[in-house]
Amino acid sequence: MKNFSIAIFTVLALISVFALIKYKNPKTVISCWGDSLTSGTAKGVSTPYPKALQGLVLKGLDIRSVTNNGIEGMTSTQIASKFGAKPPLLSVAGGSIPSSGKVAIESTAYSNLSSKSNYGRLKYWGSLAGVPGTLSVGWNEKAPDLAGETTFKREKSGAAVTTPSDTPFIIAQSGWTNSVVVIWSGRNDILSKFTNETIIENIGLMVDSLKGNDHFVVIGVTDAIFEPADGAEFKQIVALNQQLAAKYPGHWIDIRAALVDAYSPASPNDVAAFKSGKIPPSLLIDGLHLNDAGNRIVASTVYDFIKKKGW
């Protein structure tokens, strides 16, 4: 019995070594980026798709980790900024970073690192005018598309640094540009009535910042129950997905199609949704966000895509 246990342990060890060799750096992480559809913070969701994806990865004897970088309420602009692909332009109070402590940010241009939802204070590590430090961004209740109270705190004391208006804050990308990157961006832009051009531009900035890493996936934007098939929002989503599919052949997942096809023939509401080309209600938890069953479909679709690519 002892020899049998040793043999089993040896086999498992060899499998782990094989997995380590197969998925050695720099692609040892699957990095998921997006809004609440990625973060899974909608009430009633227990298994966001990155968590379900991690389960499939482990089940497939793959030692890689899956990171969830989704933040509820973020637009494609904010997601691109968080990724480090679209640096916000900051104006510092008094035009100077003090020798120590934090300083207020008076205005943010081009982009921001806030969220449309009350996510508390969000903190980002990076540099401003060459000074390493932490940017702390609050929620703007009156204007959710804009940043709330924002401060910058330098890492170490030093000489005060003059900071012109509209100085970019450079996110420290922490190596995620060398991972397998999954981008699911744009759903909140539809709600905010932003253009498809804006969404496509922001996703393009994220892809460009990968600097030659072609291990990335772009997931299509989903529709909501309250967006009828003959409505402007639904038509915008369909057009957007067609544009993204054309721009990223070989890197595109039509997740709407996968979800639409997963309707239940026993459910009249699902059948009606299927006939309209819409996501079935049985996969939605609040008319917009996917429930756990829907998230499992997203996870399995992403996992199968990555496996077929050999990533």
Side-chain angles (χ1 to χ4, degrees):
M1 187 67 179
K2 181 179 179 181
N3 289 337
F4 177 76
S5 298
I6 293 173
I8 292 295
F9 178 80
T10 302
V11 170
L12 291 175
L14 288 173
I15 290 174
S16 297
V17 169
F18 173 76
L20 182 60
I21 293 172
K22 184 178 180 182
Y23 298 108
K24 64 185 291 188
N25 284 331
K27 305 298 184 296
T28 54
V29 174
I30 300 173
S31 184
C32 303
W33 294 80
D35 47 39
S36 55
L37 291 171
T38 296
S39 69
T41 48
K43 186 176 180 181
V45 175
S46 63
T47 309
Y49 96 81
K51 182 177 179 181
L53 178 59
Q54 181 71 82
L56 293 173
V57 166
L58 293 174
K59 188 177 179 180
L61 298 178
D62 184 335
I63 65 170
R64 287 181 292 181
S65 62
V66 178
T67 61
N68 187 338
N69 300 286
I71 291 188
E72 177 183 348
M74 277 197 161
T75 64
S76 66
T77 298
Q78 292 163 332
I79 294 167
S81 291
K82 184 175 187 288
F83 196 78
K86 193 169 188 175
L89 306 179
L90 309 181
S91 295
V92 177
S96 176
I97 298 173
S99 59
S100 64
K102 65 182 180 181
V103 63
I105 301 300
E106 292 185 328
S107 66
T108 304
Y110 186 53
S111 177
N112 68 64
L113 285 160
S114 183
S115 164
K116 290 169 63 67
S117 297
N118 188 0
Y119 218 89
R121 295 198 70 81
L122 297 169
K123 294 185 177 182
Y124 304 93
W125 172 253
S127 63
L128 182 63
V131 179
T134 301
L135 191 71
S136 177
V137 187
W139 179 53
N140 192 329
E141 183 177 6
K142 294 182 179 179
D145 284 322
L146 304 177
E149 180 189 30
T150 303
T151 60
F152 175 77
K153 184 177 182 180
R154 63 189 301 162
E155 178 190 21
K156 297 178 180 179
S157 298
V161 177
T162 300
T163 311
S165 297
D166 295 338
T167 296
F169 176 73
I170 308 300
I171 285 274
Q173 289 186 306
S174 301
W176 57 68
T177 55
N178 288 325
S179 63
V180 175
V181 176
V182 184
I183 302 170
W184 198 3
S185 180
R187 179 59 256 193
N188 286 319
D189 296 58
I190 304 297
L191 295 174
S192 296
K193 301 187 183 303
F194 296 162
T195 65
N196 286 351
E197 287 71 26
T198 295
I199 301 170
I200 293 168
E201 176 190 0
N202 289 326
I203 292 174
L205 289 171
M206 295 176 72
V207 171
D208 290 345
S209 76
L210 296 177
K211 297 175 182 175
N213 172 14
D214 68 347
H215 290 55
F216 69 91
V217 183
V218 176
I219 299 180
V221 174
T222 54
D223 59 275
I225 283 180
F226 50 79
E227 294 165 340
D230 59 352
E233 292 84 0
F234 185 84
K235 292 178 180 178
Q236 180 183 359
I237 290 168
V238 171
L240 170 64
N241 287 338
Q242 290 173 343
Q243 290 172 285
L244 289 172
K247 185 170 183 178
Y248 298 110
H251 297 272
W252 161 255
I253 290 180
D254 188 354
I255 202 62
R256 251 188 31 82
L259 292 165
V260 169
D261 289 344
Y263 78 102
S264 170
S267 167
N269 289 334
D270 274 21
V271 171
F274 175 75
K275 290 180 178 179
S276 297
K278 290 183 58 61
I279 295 172
S282 64
L283 297 179
L284 297 169
I285 201 164
D286 56 8
L288 172 64
H289 298 92
L290 298 172
N291 57 24
D292 286 345
N295 277 296
R296 285 194 294 270
I297 291 172
V298 175
S300 63
T301 304
V302 172
Y303 181 63
D304 289 345
F305 183 94
I306 291 173
K307 278 206 309 180
K308 288 178 181 178
K309 286 287 188 180
W311 295 346

